[in-house]
Amino acid sequence: MPPGRQSPSSQHAPELRAAARHLARRRFLTVTAAAAALAFGTHLPATGAASAAELDTARITDDPFTLGVASGDPWPGSVLLWTRLAPEPYEADGGLAQQRVVVEWEVADDERFGTIVRRGAAIAHPEVHHTLHVEVDGLAPGRVYYYRFRTGTWISPTGRTRTAPAAIGPASALTFAAVSCQAYQEGYFTAHRHLAGDDVDVVLHLGDYLYEYAVDAAGGARKYTDRVLPDLFNRETVTLEDYRLRYALYHRDPDLQAVHAMHPFVVTWDDHETENNYAADSDENGTSPAAFLLRRAAAYRAHWENQPLRASQLPNGPDAQLYRRLHWGTLAQFDVLDTRQYRSDQAYGDRPHIPGPESDDPARTITGAAQERWLLDGWRASDAVWNVMPQQVCFSQRKLDLSPVAKVSMDAWDGYRASRDRVLAGAKAAGIDNLMVLTGDVHVGYAFDIKDDFDNPSSRTLGTEIVTPSIASGGDGIVRPTNWATYLSANPHLKFYNGQRGYVRVRLTPEAARADFKTVSAVTTPGAPITTAASFVTEAGAQGLKPA
């Protein structure tokens, strides 16, 4: 367990968890009952693993690696490898029923696997939907590796990954990409295809990996003419089976498979992996907390199963500690946040509103007290040149109109200003000179200077915030949305605003950080070219974005 990692524990009162369990038993009486109970399980696989029959892999007649491979959370001597066996990906059991499958894995220095450095075997258990999360240790720091899986006569696609540099000592540079918001039904994942060919060390996924909304037979805005998607996707995800199948749909996308195979990912979630704009145990429809926690348990379970996450992130029912810390030598410390699971409910009915007593109540939090302490303690102990905070929603002040007292988003940090003030005070107290916040959620590209006083443009610049465009959410987009001039005028610390789809490529060195906003012209038709919409540089020790 790396420095700064805490053990996950229940965040809810026993009475509330008991109510959710009771609701699961009362409302779900068939196979869904078993799935609901499974989602509330603590450790996996459970006793059922011992009784599950082992499948003779010679009987697997169709490719079980239809969902690709992935890697994640690189440490100096370790990386996490992922795949899921699913010869029938759109069937609830993936075509493998309740049988366990032995899978071999290999890690090599070269793409042809001429020099195998690590190998082993793992069991794909039905309790975890035949997913594998192989934590490979004993690797050299700062190295590129290749990996693959094998079961029966079938060999997976080859994946490429890398380890982080040694924990002690400088790294000369780090190049990473930030991505978010990939609504399948709103367009192709063209930006992922381009990112697969980009020379980056790691990809940070900031949330909204999938969307809970219905996907029709034509794939929504994709308007398929060469296939018909099963009707089972044409409904909102609620149950464990729903979420599992929705991940299967997303993982079947060839562009998403390509980028996962080429780069290790560091993932966190936002709201749509569970439900739009939820806050802790409150959803947007006023569902009882017990009922919503049941849905949240299903969503969290499916998320862990289908992402390259380590065992430390395994959910405990409706709770999972997704916030965690990674290092890239002494060049960068990444404090990956979760701003959904622990937040206070949005103020003023979650509508754009001027700041007021309800939103500015100092007791309100977007991170929860434990995560806030963990973040500030980590900054105090940091010796990194760059302290990078990957998270979900706009951190900087973002006025939405030109009124003397403007409305702001109650779902973003503007709706939790006391939380933001505490975080920025903690950064200043810790002497954090080079703060970079990474954000998704809003489907557009922004570049902000983080000000000591957002209402005073001449106040000290404490850091920068880079908001990545969406991969597909929002459709094709335009360079200048209708509110472009309003936002730039109302927010002098906003240095860039673009409404197209794409990703952000960031290069860190001990001297400076450069952010390139990479955009595509369309996502409703495949194959659009990628361009650099803008580039900015901020110097180490002299924060403030300048056009590059």
Side-chain angles (χ1 to χ4, degrees):
M1 185 173 292
R5 184 72 56 83
Q6 296 177 345
S7 298
S9 59
S10 173
Q11 304 295 322
H12 295 94
E15 295 81 6
L16 187 54
R17 289 175 62 87
R21 290 176 187 268
H22 174 72
L23 188 63
R25 291 192 296 269
R26 182 165 55 86
R27 292 181 58 188
F28 301 104
L29 303 176
T30 59
V31 175
T32 311
L38 194 60
F40 249 85
T42 302
H43 299 294
L44 304 175
T47 54
S51 59
E54 182 174 320
L55 176 67
D56 179 359
T57 56
R59 299 180 62 186
I60 302 177
T61 58
D62 295 312
D63 182 8
F65 298 108
T66 57
L67 303 180
V69 298
S71 66
D73 278 20
W75 296 353
S78 173
V79 72
L80 186 285
L81 306 182
W82 174 93
T83 194
R84 179 186 158 221
L85 305 182
E88 298 292 342
Y90 297 160
E91 296 293 330
D93 62 3
L96 294 174
Q98 294 301 305
Q99 300 177 89
R100 51 193 170 97
V101 184
V102 176
V103 182
E104 298 171 330
W105 55 267
E106 295 177 322
V107 177
D109 278 332
D110 61 301
E111 195 169 4
R112 295 187 176 184
F113 290 83
T115 305
I116 306 296
V117 297
R118 303 289 289 174
R119 59 166 29 117
I123 297 176
H125 291 280
E127 290 87 348
V128 291
H129 215 210
H130 296 103
T131 61
L132 289 173
H133 297 73
V134 179
E135 300 194 27
V136 182
D137 300 318
L139 301 176
R143 289 283 305 276
V144 170
Y145 290 100
Y146 298 87
Y147 64 94
R148 64 187 179 187
F149 300 90
R150 183 197 307 265
T151 187
T153 62
W154 298 96
I155 299 176
S156 75
T158 295
R160 175 180 177 272
T161 190
R162 70 172 64 236
T163 53
I168 300 175
S172 60
L174 162 65
T175 303
F176 64 84
V179 299
S180 74
C181 302
Q182 50 193 48
Y184 184 100
Q185 70 277 13
E186 295 189 2
Y188 289 90
F189 296 164
T190 307
H192 276 321
R193 175 66 62 172
H194 290 292
L195 178 54
D198 205 340
D199 185 17
V200 301
D201 299 311
V202 66
V203 176
L204 304 173
H205 201 297
L206 306 177
D208 293 344
Y209 189 97
L210 61 67
Y211 280 66
E212 76 276 28
Y213 304 135
V215 180
D216 65 22
R222 296 184 177 212
K223 297 181 180 177
Y224 288 141
T225 59
D226 61 342
R227 75 201 74 175
V228 176
L229 296 180
D231 191 55
L232 58 89
F233 297 121
N234 200 15
R235 60 176 181 262
E236 185 166 334
T237 54
V238 176
T239 68
L240 178 58
E241 182 177 300
D242 290 339
Y243 286 107
R244 283 172 161 176
L245 286 167
R246 191 62 53 89
Y247 278 106
L249 175 65
Y250 277 62
H251 280 307
R252 284 288 288 160
D253 183 90
D255 297 333
L256 186 58
Q257 285 196 17
V259 73
H260 270 303
M262 283 302 297
H263 307 303
F265 270 55
V266 174
V267 299
T268 185
W269 54 39
D270 193 14
D271 52 338
H272 288 289
E273 289 90 347
T274 302
E275 188 259 359
N276 180 54
N277 279 17
Y278 80 93
D281 55 16
S282 299
D283 72 0
E284 66 174 350
N285 300 313
T287 306
S288 73
F292 179 65
L293 285 180
L294 179 61
R295 179 178 182 178
R296 202 178 89 171
Y300 284 13
R301 171 64 173 274
H303 181 269
W304 181 84
E305 289 176 346
N306 286 280
Q307 296 288 8
L309 290 167
R310 294 179 182 264
S312 305
Q313 277 64 62
L314 177 65
N316 177 359
D319 304 312
Q321 187 174 307
L322 201 60
Y323 66 87
R324 60 204 189 278
R325 182 168 293 124
L326 296 96
H327 298 88
W328 206 262
T330 56
L331 179 63
Q333 174 174 299
F334 291 90
D335 295 290
V336 184
L337 298 193
D338 171 4
T339 63
R340 283 293 161 194
Q341 187 176 179
Y342 315 106
R343 66 160 64 193
S344 306
D345 202 1
Q346 292 91 341
Y348 300 112
D350 197 17
R351 297 182 301 275
H353 201 279
I354 63 172
E358 184 179 342
S359 61
D360 285 346
D361 182 346
R364 288 173 51 74
T365 177
I366 196 171
T367 62
Q371 184 177 196
E372 184 180 291
R373 287 193 302 271
W374 167 86
L375 175 63
L376 302 188
D377 288 347
W379 281 346
R380 283 191 289 269
S382 175
D383 60 358
V385 176
W386 295 94
N387 286 273
V388 184
M389 191 174 84
Q391 53 94 53
Q392 293 73 39
V393 293
C394 276
F395 182 82
S396 299
Q397 180 172 281
R398 184 177 54 129
K399 293 181 178 179
L400 305 179
D401 58 60
L402 295 171
S403 302
V405 182
K407 291 181 179 179
V408 294
S409 170
M410 291 294 108
D411 188 58
W413 287 76
D414 278 335
Y416 303 81
R417 297 200 301 181
S419 263
R420 183 170 63 201
D421 289 346
R422 290 192 297 268
V423 166
L424 289 178
K428 289 188 289 185
I432 298 301
D433 294 323
N434 304 307
L435 173 64
M436 178 176 286
V437 177
L438 302 176
T439 300
D441 183 60
V442 288
H443 308 169
V444 300
Y446 293 136
F448 288 102
D449 283 344
I450 299 172
K451 306 299 290 186
D452 199 7
D453 179 355
F454 285 106
D455 292 321
N456 179 6
S458 64
S459 67
R460 178 187 171 194
T461 299
L462 302 178
T464 59
E465 180 179 9
I466 304 299
V467 181
T468 183
S470 68
I471 292 294
S473 302
D476 290 333
I478 57 175
V479 174
R480 293 188 175 185
T482 56
N483 55 14
W484 182 86
T486 296
Y487 279 21
L488 287 172
S489 178
N491 303 282
H493 54 286
L494 175 59
K495 305 302 180 181
F496 173 73
Y497 176 14
N498 178 283
Q500 294 176 296
R501 310 296 160 234
Y503 64 93
V504 176
R505 185 180 192 270
V506 178
R507 182 171 177 80
L508 301 180
T509 69
E511 296 76 34
R514 177 187 174 113
D516 298 311
F517 287 83
K518 313 291 273 188
T519 58
V520 294
S521 57
V523 295
T524 55
T525 55
I530 197 158
T531 59
T532 301
S535 299
F536 293 88
V537 170
T538 182
E539 297 176 2
Q543 291 291 281
L545 292 163
K546 303 177 182 66

